[in-house]
């Protein structure tokens, strides 16, 4: 799945339409995807329904930041991401 295809799914999950925010959302989508890959989640798991949902929550977390704050939600960090990491183990 390309980054553009993933972005379209993330936008759908965030109820974002149009292309006005595509650049900002693409940067955040790639950042969260790379974070997940570096945590041990496989590309195949990112492309599952749970993977896209987790990625969307992570992008939403970054999208809704306050100035000077960078943090992921507990749902992303402690519930969903660990599940994807576990099923990605060899």
């Amino acid at each position: 799945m390309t980054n553009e295809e993933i972005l379209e799914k993330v936008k759908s999950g965030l109820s974002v339409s149009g292309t006005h925010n595509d650049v900002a959302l693409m940067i955040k989508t790639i950042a969260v995807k790379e974070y997940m890959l570096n945590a041990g989640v496989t590309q195949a798991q990112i492309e599952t329904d749970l993977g896209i949902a987790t990625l969307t929550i992570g992008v939403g977390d970054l999208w809704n930041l306050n100035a000077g704050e960078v943090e992921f939600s507990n749902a992303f960090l402690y519930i969903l991401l660990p599940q994807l990491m576990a099923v990605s183990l060899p």
Side-chain angles (χ1 to χ4, degrees):
M1 188 178 296
T2 67
N3 285 335
E4 290 75 18
E5 291 169 325
I6 292 172
L7 175 62
E8 288 307 310
K9 291 182 178 285
V10 168
K11 286 173 54 178
S12 178
L14 294 174
S15 299
V16 173
S17 59
T19 59
H20 178 73
N21 294 307
D22 280 7
V23 173
L25 284 171
M26 179 62 86
I27 291 168
K28 289 167 178 45
T29 297
I30 291 171
V32 175
K33 177 183 160 188
E34 292 297 320
Y35 183 89
M36 292 169 68
L37 289 167
N38 289 337
V41 178
T42 64
Q43 181 70 34
Q45 285 301 314
I46 288 173
E47 294 177 4
T48 65
D49 289 341
L50 179 59
I52 294 295
T54 303
L55 182 63
T56 301
I57 290 169
V59 171
D61 290 343
L62 295 182
W63 185 251
N64 295 310
L65 290 176
N66 293 318
E69 291 181 7
V70 176
E71 64 183 24
F72 287 114
S73 64
N74 288 337
F76 177 82
L77 279 179
Y78 303 118
I79 299 170
L80 300 170
L81 184 62
Q83 290 179 44
L84 290 169
M85 292 165 59
V87 296
S88 294
L89 292 172

